[in-house]
Amino acid sequence: MDKLQNKWFKESCEMWPGATFTFEVKEVLQSGKSQYQNIDVFDTTSLGRVLVLDDIIQCTQKDEFSYQEMISFLPLCCHKNPEKVLIVGGGDGGVAREVAKHPKVKEIVQVEIDEKVIEVSKKYLQFMAVGFDSEKLELHVGDGFEFMKNHSQEFDVIITDSSDPIGPAVNLFLENYFSLMKSALKPNGIVCSQAGTIWNDLDLVTSTLGYCRNQFPAAAYAYTTVPAYPSGPIGFVIGSLDKNIKFDQPTLVFSREDEKAMNLKYYNSDIHKAAFVLPTFVKYRLA
Amino acid sequence: MDKLQNKWFKESCEMWPGATFTFEVKEVLQSGKSQYQNIDVFDTTSLGRVLVLDDIIQCTQKDEFSYQEMISFLPLCCHKNPEKVLIVGGGDGGVAREVAKHPKVKEIVQVEIDEKVIEVSKKYLQFMAVGFDSEKLELHVGDGFEFMKNHSQEFDVIITDSSDPIGPAVNLFLENYFSLMKSALKPNGIVCSQAGTIWNDLDLVTSTLGYCRNQFPAAAYAYTTVPAYPSGPIGFVIGSLDKNIKFDQPTLVFSREDEKAMNLKYYNSDIHKAAFVLPTFVKYRLA
């Protein structure tokens, strides 16, 4: 495989030139092109299995729980009654796995554009693809952008688990995507989108939060730590139709028993609050 | 320079095998051995200037402020009156730069073992070495461990800005170091030490916090995000002789004007509180 040098994979992306992450590969489990992108799965010496799309790390077995739990439970626990949830993207199944755990969630609809990602995840990334087994889930293969045009006032929460804004996900970072999500939400609905890192993509964070603010009466940025993503922390833009929402006050506070029952390894009710507290250089840039 | 491949430097350390950070070098400004370690300084295409000791990244111009502000202001703002501060290590000057800003600090004593690090920093890393210009500072070249044996009940705060526990810093992660610091503190004194990351070194974090707890009636772990360190977040063990201390409640709350006056780019009074909030898998491991 020509993208490996002495069994080391080096991530490379025009969004963060000049500094990057590398890992040692034990075995190439999957390498090939779908209709939309290159899909690689590696077994590695230190990160477990790793999913790479178009040469960018999407998730590693070691740390994916941080991302999946936080992108799911932050919006779910901001909402008073998140009964019906839409997931856009998330083809590895990790977000579905987390959303299905929330006690108030009754129905999950997921729209992933790339069937091959689902197939590969079911074969090699079962620890995430287990999410597809939930009885709450209805899975569609298609364009989330198009899907939403035909669904009005239907969802309590919309989670967009996309890759970065190059390639198939570019439309999911634009203002009309936030506008579409708004019309697909029920009253007091909430959206949460992957939105880049404060260290490498502060321009992207600022623009994405700006689009969300233009469409939603309340919006905020929160973050978590995911070592395999460039720079470490990765963040989410969250918008709500409830203008009085307090994002940093979870509506449902979990006990230690709740955390155990849901196998939550990263998210807890205190880290929910802390996730919205920003370093000074970010706070005033986003203000 | 044989550690560069096509102008890329790849960090390598037995503490985190199998996954590592690499960056593109514009120019090698310094490369050589001191009595204690290899010292390299690079100018890079995306991180500004970078200090590397024994092939491990110590700080980059892009993100060093996060580390320096947090290791300094967390303990300083936990203390009611941090008049006299000891810095152990910190040969680049960055911690002295931050400590000197705190309005209550009157005297800073710093003990760095490697004179060559100070010299190289003054030559190539002036943005940190500016800390050595403070009139509050008295700088010693020597072993912090030995220095403390001769200083009893003298300091309000002791900050240990060390490299990782391989090489010259190994003694600074042992229980008798915490015991020595304890005897060098005034009543209600506070210590703060670099203590590894939750993602790569949780065993180290656990043992270091354990040593601190054995010696101090109150101890906690806090963290910040530093993209150039392995995995992103890096943490600190903080111990206090005041058993009633509330680490997450800063004694001095800074206004926006204070932040500006001190040029604080990362630390603020809210992030002080949030820094002590831990992900579930860490919280119960350290409990």
Side-chain angles (χ1 to χ4, degrees):
Chain A
M1 193 187 194
D2 63 0
K3 61 184 83 173
L4 297 186
Q5 291 192 325
N6 293 324
K7 294 203 157 191
W8 281 72
F9 173 85
K10 181 175 172 182
E11 189 179 57
S12 160
C13 178
E14 67 201 51
M15 287 176 68
W16 50 90
T20 191
F21 191 66
T22 74
F23 57 79
E24 191 181 13
V25 171
K26 259 202 303 213
E27 189 183 350
V28 179
L29 298 172
Q30 146 78 32
S31 185
K33 230 177 150 51
S34 73
Q35 184 185 346
Y36 298 98
Q37 54 205 339
N38 268 309
I39 306 175
D40 298 318
V41 179
F42 301 109
D43 197 18
T44 70
T45 61
S46 66
L47 306 172
R49 296 193 170 186
V50 178
L51 173 66
V52 172
L53 299 180
D54 282 345
D55 295 344
I56 299 176
I57 299 168
Q58 301 300 309
C59 32
T60 87
Q61 194 167 2
K62 179 180 173 183
D63 60 27
E64 54 87 16
F65 66 90
S66 167
Y67 176 84
Q68 322 278 12
E69 290 183 19
M70 293 294 274
I71 197 174
S72 303
F73 281 89
L74 287 176
L76 293 174
C77 292
C78 281
H79 197 285
K80 285 180 186 141
N81 195 22
E83 291 191 352
K84 188 165 182 181
V85 178
L86 173 65
I87 301 169
V88 176
D92 51 49
V95 172
R97 180 192 69 198
E98 296 305 318
V99 172
K101 291 175 178 176
H102 193 286
K104 293 196 173 177
V105 170
K106 292 182 179 163
E107 280 183 82
I108 309 168
V109 178
Q110 178 167 0
V111 187
E112 161 63 46
I113 201 167
D114 194 342
E115 191 164 20
K116 183 80 178 163
V117 172
I118 300 170
E119 185 194 303
V120 163
S121 300
K122 284 183 173 173
K123 192 162 176 191
Y124 297 112
L125 306 167
Q126 189 54 29
F127 54 96
M128 293 188 289
V130 65
F132 297 128
D133 298 338
S134 169
E135 286 180 2
K136 297 177 179 177
L137 182 73
E138 178 188 305
L139 180 61
H140 299 259
V141 173
D143 182 340
F145 206 92
E146 293 302 316
F147 181 90
M148 235 163 326
K149 288 182 184 165
N150 303 312
H151 292 79
S152 178
Q153 295 209 317
E154 199 173 315
F155 303 101
D156 296 301
V157 174
I158 300 175
I159 297 171
T160 305
D161 172 23
S162 74
S163 47
D164 289 310
I166 38 175
V170 70
N171 287 333
L172 309 181
F173 289 77
L174 302 177
E175 184 161 344
N176 56 354
Y177 182 64
F178 283 92
S179 165
L180 265 178
M181 288 198 287
K182 184 178 167 183
S183 48
L185 284 177
K186 289 183 190 168
N188 296 321
I190 287 177
V191 297
C192 179
S193 292
Q194 192 271 98
T197 91
I198 55 175
W199 286 103
N200 288 3
D201 316 317
L202 196 48
D203 287 345
L204 173 68
V205 173
T206 309
S207 67
T208 310
L209 182 59
Y211 299 146
C212 187
R213 278 196 181 129
N214 291 346
Q215 295 294 329
F216 287 83
Y221 179 80
Y223 69 98
T224 188
T225 67
V226 181
Y229 290 150
S231 90
I234 184 141
F236 314 106
V237 159
I238 305 187
S240 172
L241 291 176
D242 173 5
K243 73 176 193 311
N244 298 315
I245 194 168
K246 290 190 169 53
F247 288 114
D248 64 351
Q249 301 298 321
T251 56
L252 198 59
V253 172
F254 294 146
S255 68
R256 179 63 184 137
E257 282 59 48
D258 295 332
E259 289 165 11
K260 281 184 187 167
M262 289 185 277
N263 189 27
L264 292 174
K265 292 183 278 184
Y266 201 97
Y267 180 90
N268 57 58
S269 301
D270 290 329
I271 211 126
H272 180 118
K273 298 176 203 177
F276 291 90
V277 179
L278 303 177
T280 307
F281 78 105
V282 182
K283 183 175 170 184
Y284 292 99
R285 174 74 186 276
L286 299 184
Chain B
M1 192 185 196
D2 64 0
K3 60 184 84 173
L4 297 186
Q5 291 191 325
N6 293 323
K7 295 206 158 188
W8 282 72
F9 173 85
K10 180 175 171 182
E11 188 179 57
S12 160
C13 178
E14 66 202 51
M15 287 175 67
W16 49 91
T20 191
F21 190 66
T22 73
F23 57 78
E24 191 181 15
V25 171
K26 259 202 304 214
E27 191 183 350
V28 179
L29 298 172
Q30 146 78 32
S31 185
K33 229 176 150 50
S34 74
Q35 184 186 345
Y36 299 97
Q37 53 205 338
N38 269 309
I39 306 175
D40 298 318
V41 178
F42 302 108
D43 197 17
T44 69
T45 61
S46 66
L47 307 172
R49 295 194 170 186
V50 178
L51 173 65
V52 172
L53 299 179
D54 283 345
D55 295 345
I56 299 176
I57 299 167
Q58 301 300 309
C59 31
T60 87
Q61 194 167 2
K62 179 179 173 184
D63 60 27
E64 54 87 16
F65 65 91
S66 166
Y67 176 83
Q68 323 278 12
E69 290 183 19
M70 293 294 274
I71 197 174
S72 303
F73 281 89
L74 287 176
L76 292 174
C77 292
C78 282
H79 197 285
K80 284 180 186 141
N81 195 21
E83 290 191 351
K84 188 166 182 181
V85 178
L86 174 64
I87 301 169
V88 176
D92 51 48
V95 172
R97 180 192 69 198
E98 296 305 318
V99 172
K101 291 174 179 176
H102 192 286
K104 293 196 173 177
V105 170
K106 291 182 179 163
E107 281 182 81
I108 308 168
V109 178
Q110 178 167 1
V111 187
E112 162 62 46
I113 201 166
D114 195 341
E115 191 164 19
K116 184 79 180 164
V117 172
I118 299 170
E119 186 194 302
V120 163
S121 299
K122 284 183 174 173
K123 192 163 175 190
Y124 297 113
L125 306 168
Q126 190 53 30
F127 55 96
M128 293 189 289
V130 65
F132 297 128
D133 299 338
S134 169
E135 286 181 2
K136 297 176 179 178
L137 182 73
E138 179 188 305
L139 179 62
H140 299 260
V141 174
D143 183 340
F145 206 92
E146 294 302 316
F147 181 90
M148 236 164 325
K149 289 181 183 166
N150 304 312
H151 292 80
S152 178
Q153 296 208 316
E154 198 173 314
F155 302 101
D156 297 302
V157 174
I158 301 174
I159 297 171
T160 304
D161 173 23
S162 75
S163 47
D164 290 309
I166 38 176
V170 70
N171 288 332
L172 308 182
F173 289 78
L174 301 178
E175 183 162 342
N176 56 354
Y177 182 65
F178 283 92
S179 164
L180 265 178
M181 288 199 287
K182 184 177 166 182
S183 47
L185 283 178
K186 289 184 190 168
N188 296 321
I190 287 177
V191 297
C192 179
S193 292
Q194 191 272 97
T197 90
I198 56 175
W199 286 104
N200 288 2
D201 316 316
L202 196 49
D203 287 345
L204 173 68
V205 172
T206 309
S207 67
T208 311
L209 182 59
Y211 298 147
C212 187
R213 278 197 182 129
N214 290 345
Q215 295 294 327
F216 287 83
Y221 179 81
Y223 68 99
T224 188
T225 67
V226 181
Y229 291 151
S231 89
I234 184 142
F236 315 105
V237 159
I238 304 186
S240 172
L241 292 175
D242 173 4
K243 73 177 192 312
N244 298 316
I245 195 168
K246 290 190 169 54
F247 288 114
D248 63 351
Q249 301 297 321
T251 56
L252 199 59
V253 172
F254 293 145
S255 68
R256 180 64 184 137
E257 282 60 46
D258 295 331
E259 290 165 10
K260 279 184 187 165
M262 290 184 275
N263 189 27
L264 292 174
K265 292 183 278 185
Y266 201 97
Y267 181 91
N268 57 57
S269 300
D270 290 328
I271 211 127
H272 180 119
K273 298 177 203 176
F276 291 91
V277 179
L278 303 177
T280 308
F281 78 105
V282 182
K283 181 176 171 185
Y284 292 99
R285 174 73 185 277
L286 299 184

